[in-house]
Amino acid sequence: MHSKRFDMQHNSHGAITSLIDQEDTDKMNWVINPSYLDKVGYTDSDKLFGEFEIIIGNHHYKSIELKPVLKETSEQLIVKYQLPEATITLNYELINDQLQWQILLQNNTYEPVKITSLGVWCSLAYIMFRDRDVLQNIHRSTAVFPSVAPNFTKLAGMRRDNEGKNMGLFQTAGVVQSVGTACEWTNRFFENVSPSLDGMLFHQLILAGGYPQTKAPKRDWIYPHSSITLTDEMKWSFVLTPFSDQDNFTDVAQHFGHPRITYPPIIIQNQTATVTIEEPTNDLVERIVLRTNVDNEIIERDVTSSHKQNVLTLTPTEVGEHELRITLESGRQDRIVFNVMPPIHQLIQHRVDWLSIHSFEDASGKHPYSFRPVSNQGESLGKLSLILMANLLNPTEKTMAQVRQVEQSAVYYIRQKWFVDGDFGKPASLYGDFYRVMDFEYIGHVYYLLSLFGENVLTLNQPTVYLHWAADVFNLRVNPDMHESQRAKEESQMLGVYFLYIDGLLNDLKAHGMNEDYRLIKECWDKAVKRVATDSQSYKAAITEHFYDNAGFGPATGALANAGYTKAASRYAELLKANIGFSNDFRSQAPDRWWEALSYMIHSLWGGITAASSLLAYEKMGDTELLRGAYRAFAGVLYMYDANATTTDRLLKPGEAASTYSIAGPNINRPDLSRNRFGQSVFAQDGGIFTRLFPDGDTGHDDWDMGEELAAYLTGFGQKAYVYTKADGTLGVINGNLVKLRQDEYRVTSYAPYPREILDVERNRCLKTSSKTVRYNIQNGFKTDEG
């Protein structure tokens, strides 16, 4: 089938196997192709675009097991399935730059029939190709960001190169309950192979049900998973069509009759926030209801009267997830989901105190001087960096005791575990016959932060000793000559989270006259970023242990920008921008990652590091899309520590945390994890590689490998708010609130938990202040109320 814009192919079963935009020079196939599945040994032909599963009464049908009747013309394909209870027809029609897709369900009986589950696969090309040629993953793969609403569901397929050739799916008729995903993957980590991980997600539109019995989320009061009753016929319609960027995605949605809604990703309790709602043509807003859960009771408030001239003003008093349900005069409904949090410094302090009380093991513990849960991966030491960062920014009466716990861990646990006889030049092989070079950047961060405390706080060594240790470990991290194996040499040349502290480390080494350490570190750092900058046209840093990974291109962006390689940084920044989600649900605005949940997910660590990379790149390059993306991403990261969440089965006590949140509902691989927080050890019961990753089974520790992302948050949004110019030319603020006082004069309130700076990057203005509220004049800049 052909149109002016598209070339579409299908298999003998009527599933779509190829959809190519003929204006695309890369000729990307926008749907998952069965020939690639065959090539890598995946057996998922039942999940190709257009296949479905339905449960009618007591009968469970899978389309792959049925024989449809196909009718085809040059621009239309009709696929019809005849069941005893119903006829299911899928109609595809190419019209100009659109693929119009209709699903029709017709009752074949004289009685209403109950459909307890109906899911239709819309498998866009969400693929991590098993290919070291990273360009295929950049140019021929998409991240998929869902916005789920009863009548206005849409999927943004962001091609990973962010060159503006993207694909959106927009709902135009019917009711969609949710969007689920199934994951197919291979991991060869323990074979000492790098890269070792590839896989893909198949997306499914949930039109009814979607979960096996007893496996549906118990607390998710926002997204339904109910049955539907078919009396005569039901119809769902969608359009696939290209879009260029996030703003254009919304423009295209408006063209198809969707409201245009913008909202803040994070709203602070008792602070005023604004939501803009632009109505579709000839379909005005009839009612707006704000819903939240208070003490296990859904509270609904009609806030329609607060909607004036497209602006809805809210001042939420309850914390937790909020659903804003918008009903139009036609009866169609849209929604947004945002989070309301208490002041964030409370979340940080609760976490630090919890770690000190519940996580630290003293000399008599099973793993003396460690912070549970124990992990061989250096990421788990982020807990220690968080404790140190928080106490540097906000000393309390507990600071001395908390820092000394970390010091004991750094000396007696970390050094002895990761290094043979404590020798920083002899890494211990903690993964069978090899070690991970990336572990050392987290160790270096702990030692560097320890060096910032005074002699009156530290007891085991002088601050300069820890500074010297940080230099030794950093050298091991970035110097390939320190390693013998090829894997270790390659990993040492990958950029990592050390971009968060390299400037401070270098400055302090110089200030303390540690000239040899400074020379060695500076040389290694310069070589590392120069090497990555030189290789930036091949995007080599996008490959880590995975064939394509935001743990690679995120830090690459931040490090290159920090080192002044702006041209190379801007190449990787495009991958970052395509990686950070946008959606009507704040949780679906997470950076795109799937491995730890086998589903689209929030991953606390790499969500936070990706966000921090984006923010640092913004500060150096001034691209406001990076600023906005960084803030959206951190909204999901903070959710992993939010004890006020009500929609997840895993509830947290103040100070607890969970490393992973599965966004998709259902997570078809593990339905019990859908829209839930958890630690990755829950996968131990699934066998395979998980039994080796988690030999103790499900440890019950949900905060596995967490902390570094909050330390990263504290280096940026933890201290800073940002004034910027929006696309319409007006002034905006990120991580704060803006009130116009008079022409060109504003009051800016920072939401940073430990305010230190307010910046206007594009005008090269910065005010260092601990005041939460300042004044800003476009001509003259910032000033405090004191002047």
Side-chain angles (χ1 to χ4, degrees):
M1 291 171 56
H2 306 275
S3 69
K4 232 177 203 182
R5 187 70 183 261
F6 286 123
D7 175 52
M8 189 181 96
Q9 297 177 27
H10 61 87
N11 62 15
S12 60
H13 203 250
I16 308 305
T17 58
S18 178
L19 181 66
I20 294 174
D21 181 349
Q22 297 191 77
E23 294 184 7
D24 175 18
T25 53
D26 290 300
K27 301 299 180 187
M28 171 175 168
N29 182 1
W30 274 98
V31 299
I32 289 180
N33 190 324
S35 64
Y36 179 73
L37 299 181
D38 293 341
K39 177 182 176 183
V40 294
Y42 294 150
T43 55
D44 295 274
S45 57
D46 60 329
K47 301 180 186 69
L48 299 178
F49 196 108
E51 300 288 357
F52 62 86
E53 295 183 49
I54 187 170
I55 300 176
I56 308 178
N58 296 320
H59 298 116
H60 185 177
Y61 301 100
K62 295 183 70 170
S63 61
I64 195 71
E65 298 168 353
L66 306 172
K67 187 170 179 61
V69 175
L70 276 59
K71 292 183 179 179
E72 182 181 6
T73 67
S74 61
E75 294 184 347
Q76 187 177 27
L77 171 67
I78 299 173
V79 185
K80 184 173 289 189
Y81 294 86
Q82 197 79 37
L83 305 176
E85 303 91 339
T87 299
I88 302 172
T89 305
L90 294 94
N91 184 8
Y92 303 92
E93 192 168 1
L94 291 173
I95 301 176
N96 299 321
D97 63 349
Q98 301 174 16
L99 170 57
Q100 298 188 1
W101 180 32
Q102 183 184 95
I103 303 165
L104 182 64
L105 203 55
Q106 295 169 301
N107 192 340
N108 290 342
T109 75
Y110 296 103
E111 299 291 335
V113 295
K114 183 178 180 180
I115 299 171
T116 55
S117 190
L118 173 56
V120 183
W121 295 100
C122 57
S123 302
L124 298 178
Y126 187 113
I127 307 169
M128 180 187 288
F129 289 101
R130 192 183 297 169
D131 193 337
R132 288 187 73 109
D133 178 6
V134 74
L135 295 179
Q136 180 165 214
N137 279 314
I138 289 173
H139 297 308
R140 297 188 177 180
S141 174
T142 182
V144 178
F145 303 121
S147 295
V148 181
N151 302 110
F152 299 106
T153 291
K154 38 196 170 276
L155 300 181
M158 287 293 294
R159 188 150 64 174
R160 301 183 190 278
D161 59 20
N162 201 44
E163 292 181 355
K165 296 170 284 189
N166 307 306
M167 189 70 68
L169 182 144
F170 303 88
Q171 179 186 356
T172 54
V175 174
V176 173
Q177 296 191 11
S178 192
V179 175
T181 60
C183 180
E184 186 70 86
W185 54 279
T186 298
N187 193 321
R188 300 175 61 201
F189 175 78
F190 283 107
E191 297 175 40
N192 197 9
V193 172
S194 185
S196 59
L197 180 71
D198 72 274
M200 64 188 68
L201 293 184
F202 301 85
H203 288 76
Q204 189 179 57
L205 297 170
I206 306 299
L207 309 182
Y211 295 89
Q213 286 187 336
T214 74
K215 292 291 181 72
K218 299 175 181 63
R219 297 180 180 270
D220 184 11
W221 50 266
I222 295 174
Y223 294 99
H225 40 83
S226 54
S227 61
I228 57 178
T229 300
L230 177 65
T231 53
D232 183 16
E233 68 176 35
M234 301 180 80
K235 182 176 74 172
W236 295 265
S237 296
F238 305 89
V239 176
L240 277 93
T241 193
F243 69 95
S244 58
D245 56 25
Q246 179 183 347
D247 291 332
N248 182 242
F249 179 76
T250 311
D251 293 340
V252 175
Q254 278 189 296
H255 173 76
F256 293 119
H258 291 219
R260 187 186 194 112
I261 307 173
T262 58
Y263 68 101
I266 301 174
I267 297 176
I268 303 299
Q269 184 182 19
N270 297 321
Q271 296 278 356
T272 298
T274 57
V275 177
T276 62
I277 305 172
E278 297 179 37
E279 301 148 316
T281 305
N282 301 322
D283 199 359
L284 302 180
V285 168
E286 181 176 271
R287 189 167 185 246
I288 306 175
V289 174
L290 184 63
R291 305 175 72 232
T292 190
N293 185 321
V294 180
D295 297 327
N296 294 319
E297 181 183 352
I298 306 303
I299 304 297
E300 295 190 353
R301 292 186 176 91
D302 190 318
V303 295
T304 313
S305 61
S306 299
H307 180 235
K308 297 180 175 67
Q309 297 180 322
N310 291 343
V311 175
L312 175 68
T313 304
L314 300 170
T315 309
T317 56
E318 290 94 11
V319 291
E321 306 95 332
H322 285 60
E323 179 195 29
L324 194 71
R325 184 71 69 94
I326 299 102
T327 303
L328 304 179
E329 289 179 344
S330 64
R332 298 182 299 167
Q333 290 189 325
D334 206 346
R335 71 155 63 90
I336 59 169
V337 180
F338 58 85
N339 202 26
V340 178
M341 302 185 69
I344 296 171
H345 70 85
Q346 295 179 16
L347 178 150
I348 303 289
Q349 201 58 56
H350 283 316
R351 180 58 177 165
V352 170
D353 291 346
W354 191 94
L355 288 171
S356 176
I357 295 167
H358 298 285
S359 181
F360 180 68
E361 293 192 12
D362 60 21
S364 62
K366 182 179 178 182
H367 303 280
Y369 304 111
S370 68
F371 282 81
R372 294 189 308 267
V374 168
S375 166
N376 287 340
Q377 294 192 291
E379 289 93 318
S380 63
L381 303 178
K383 296 178 175 64
L384 286 70
S385 293
L386 168 61
I387 293 170
L388 297 176
M389 279 286 294
N391 277 292
L392 285 167
L393 290 171
N394 182 45
T396 71
E397 71 280 359
K398 302 173 185 175
T399 290
M400 194 168 291
Q402 291 175 348
V403 172
R404 287 175 179 176
Q405 287 176 333
V406 173
E407 186 184 17
Q408 288 177 314
S409 189
V411 174
Y412 300 134
Y413 172 68
I414 295 175
R415 183 166 187 174
Q416 306 310 316
K417 175 172 179 171
W418 270 272
F419 306 97
V420 177
D421 298 325
D423 185 340
F424 292 131
K426 296 180 180 177
S429 295
L430 298 180
Y431 306 91
D433 60 352
F434 67 98
Y435 55 85
R436 289 173 80 232
V437 175
M438 285 87 78
D439 290 345
F440 306 135
E441 61 202 62
Y442 301 95
I443 297 171
H445 200 187
V446 173
Y447 289 148
Y448 171 64
L449 291 173
L450 272 174
S451 75
L452 301 179
F453 287 90
E455 296 178 19
N456 62 317
V457 178
L458 303 172
T459 61
L460 301 179
N461 291 290
Q462 296 290 314
T464 51
V465 170
Y466 296 120
L467 187 61
H468 179 65
W469 288 8
D472 279 349
V473 174
F474 190 88
N475 181 38
L476 187 68
R477 169 61 183 85
V478 299
N479 188 347
D481 294 338
M482 296 289 292
H483 307 280
E484 294 182 4
S485 77
Q486 187 60 31
R487 173 177 178 146
K489 287 180 180 294
E490 288 181 6
E491 287 183 0
S492 71
Q493 298 174 64
M494 297 176 185
L495 297 180
V497 300
Y498 58 80
F499 75 89
L500 292 170
Y501 62 92
I502 179 60
D503 287 346
L505 175 60
L506 288 171
N507 290 337
D508 288 2
L509 288 171
K510 199 172 198 179
H512 284 87
M514 301 168 72
N515 296 328
E516 182 57 25
D517 283 334
Y518 174 84
R519 184 196 62 76
L520 190 60
I521 297 307
K522 184 74 164 63
E523 188 176 297
C524 287
W525 162 246
D526 289 345
K527 280 183 179 178
V529 288
K530 184 177 181 180
R531 186 188 308 116
V532 172
T534 301
D535 292 337
S536 64
Q537 285 184 303
S538 66
Y539 296 96
K540 188 176 179 180
I543 299 177
T544 63
E545 296 165 306
H546 304 190
F547 285 91
Y548 183 79
D549 194 1
N550 59 13
F553 59 78
T557 306
L560 289 168
N562 191 47
Y565 290 95
T566 53
K567 186 175 181 181
S570 65
R571 289 194 183 103
Y572 282 106
E574 295 305 313
L575 311 186
L576 257 188
K577 289 189 281 187
N579 184 255
I580 296 176
F582 51 91
S583 171
N584 66 337
D585 186 327
F586 75 98
R587 296 165 295 191
S588 297
Q589 302 194 136
D592 171 61
R593 196 172 176 89
W594 58 274
W595 155 237
E596 285 85 359
L598 305 186
S599 173
Y600 178 37
M601 61 177 285
I602 298 170
H603 185 259
S604 56
L605 174 64
W606 289 112
I609 299 304
T610 297
S613 304
S614 188
L615 181 60
L616 179 58
Y618 164 72
E619 289 187 357
K620 301 295 183 180
M621 300 192 296
D623 185 337
T624 56
E625 193 176 344
L626 293 168
L627 171 66
R628 292 161 54 205
Y631 195 57
R632 291 197 310 272
F634 265 124
V637 171
L638 294 174
Y639 187 62
M640 308 310 295
Y641 293 85
D642 190 352
N644 300 297
T646 62
T647 65
T648 62
D649 289 351
R650 174 65 168 99
L651 302 180
L652 301 174
K653 296 173 184 175
E656 288 186 321
S659 65
T660 317
Y661 175 84
S662 179
I663 294 167
N667 174 336
I668 292 168
N669 295 68
R670 282 290 299 268
D672 57 313
L673 303 181
S674 305
R675 296 206 177 91
N676 201 9
R677 297 181 289 201
F678 53 94
Q680 290 97 311
S681 64
V682 299
F683 286 105
Q685 64 185 268
D686 291 358
I689 192 174
F690 298 112
T691 59
R692 300 185 66 188
L693 285 172
F694 306 102
D696 297 330
D698 188 353
T699 63
H701 290 292
D702 292 344
D703 56 348
W704 189 67
D705 288 3
M706 294 182 71
E708 193 74 21
E709 70 285 349
L710 276 193
Y713 169 81
L714 289 176
T715 65
F717 291 125
Q719 303 178 54
K720 305 173 187 178
Y722 300 82
V723 171
Y724 74 106
T725 303
K726 296 192 287 189
D728 61 6
T730 62
L731 209 63
V733 66
I734 293 292
N735 200 29
N737 181 261
L738 190 73
V739 175
K740 189 170 185 176
L741 302 175
R742 59 186 67 87
Q743 185 68 26
D744 288 345
E745 180 119 353
Y746 301 83
R747 182 173 65 245
V748 184
T749 302
S750 174
Y751 288 165
Y754 309 110
R756 297 292 187 275
E757 292 180 68
I758 297 183
L759 299 92
D760 182 344
V761 170
E762 60 196 88
R763 296 177 180 86
N764 198 27
R765 291 170 176 163
C766 171
L767 176 67
K768 293 186 181 296
T769 177
S770 60
S771 175
K772 275 194 171 290
T773 303
V774 303
R775 293 182 179 246
Y776 184 71
N777 182 283
I778 291 180
Q779 279 75 39
N780 302 319
F782 296 105
K783 67 175 182 178
T784 62
D785 287 336
E786 292 78 27

